[in-house]
Amino acid sequence: MFVHPEFDPIAISIGPVAIRWYGLMYLLAFVAFIMLAKRRLHLFPAIKMSDVDNMLTWAVLGVILGGRLGYVFFYKPDYYMANPGEILAIWEGGMSFHGGFLGVLLVCFIYGRYKDWKFFDVMDFVAPAVPIGLALGRLGNFINGELWGRPTDGWWGVVFPQAGDAVARHPSQLYQMSLEGIALFIGLWWFASKPRPRAAVSAWFLIGYGAARFVVEYAREPDRFLGTLSLGLSMGQWLCVPMILGGFALLAWSRNKPTGLETMTALEAAQAKAGKGSKRSK
């Protein structure tokens, strides 16, 4: 039976500067996003590397604010309404993937409007580059010994001293890393390696993440202050239901839609033509 070693939460310390494991995972996730997004630029000609940098800058804000507000309103609304001064106390912990996801959606929508891009072209570009970051985040959860799983008799069980007992539990963080991160990345990256109908890639991201998270939640210990909700499902599972249903609806809607390559190429050509016209008029 493996006992979690309770790693030092500080990964790197240089003088007074300390970088925690979870912060390091966020940094690596953003680096991975840039590297992977760069490899997808050929499928979206109107998107340039400078756009990737700009979107990432704003997405960081969307992830942090959305993730925190999602935790506040999805998980502990009564507590934070009674203690509004703690809403921004991110250093005390408490982030929600679903809230961060909504924050990124808002950022992509605003940036897409600014650049005159179709919203789902932007999302189809971004989605395949996201799962590796999710995997790194779950690895950070495991290193920190947080978000542990339910008790298990399996030989792979891990004792998390942070849970306050000596019970062997599912290493649900590693399950999530494997399914929501690595497996979703492999499947989505393969699917998105060729031009697909608009919104099809986004749809499979919603379905893949939602299904993986829903399944793993059966092995993950529910938040003690919430427990399970209706039908014995956790809050995480209930938040995944609209993702899965929305993904299938989006997949049906995407049939016979043009590909991102077609729309982005047409947009780039139109912008180039408009630029030449403006030069002639001068």
Side-chain angles (χ1 to χ4, degrees), residues 199-223:
V201 174
S202 299
W204 279 114
F205 176 87
L206 291 173
I207 296 169
Y209 177 87
R213 174 71 181 269
F214 190 94
V215 170
V216 174
E217 283 283 329
Y218 282 114
R220 176 173 162 175
E221 185 74 22
D223 296 286

Side-chain angles (χ1 to χ4, degrees), residues 113-154:
R113 288 292 297 270
Y114 169 71
K115 299 290 290 189
D116 197 28
W117 296 337
K118 298 292 185 182
F119 172 69
F120 282 114
D121 287 343
V122 180
M123 294 310 302
D124 287 347
F125 172 75
V126 167
V130 170
I132 289 298
L134 301 181
L136 289 166
R138 295 308 178 189
L139 178 59
N141 292 146
F142 180 79
I143 292 174
N144 286 342
E146 59 193 9
L147 306 182
W148 49 79
R150 306 186 192 201
T152 178
D153 294 327

Side-chain angles (χ1 to χ4, degrees), residues 41-58:
L41 291 174
H42 67 286
L43 293 172
F44 298 83
I47 299 179
K48 309 304 179 186
M49 196 61 210
S50 59
D51 294 312
V52 174
D53 295 335
N54 291 335
M55 282 193 286
L56 178 61
T57 300
W58 288 102

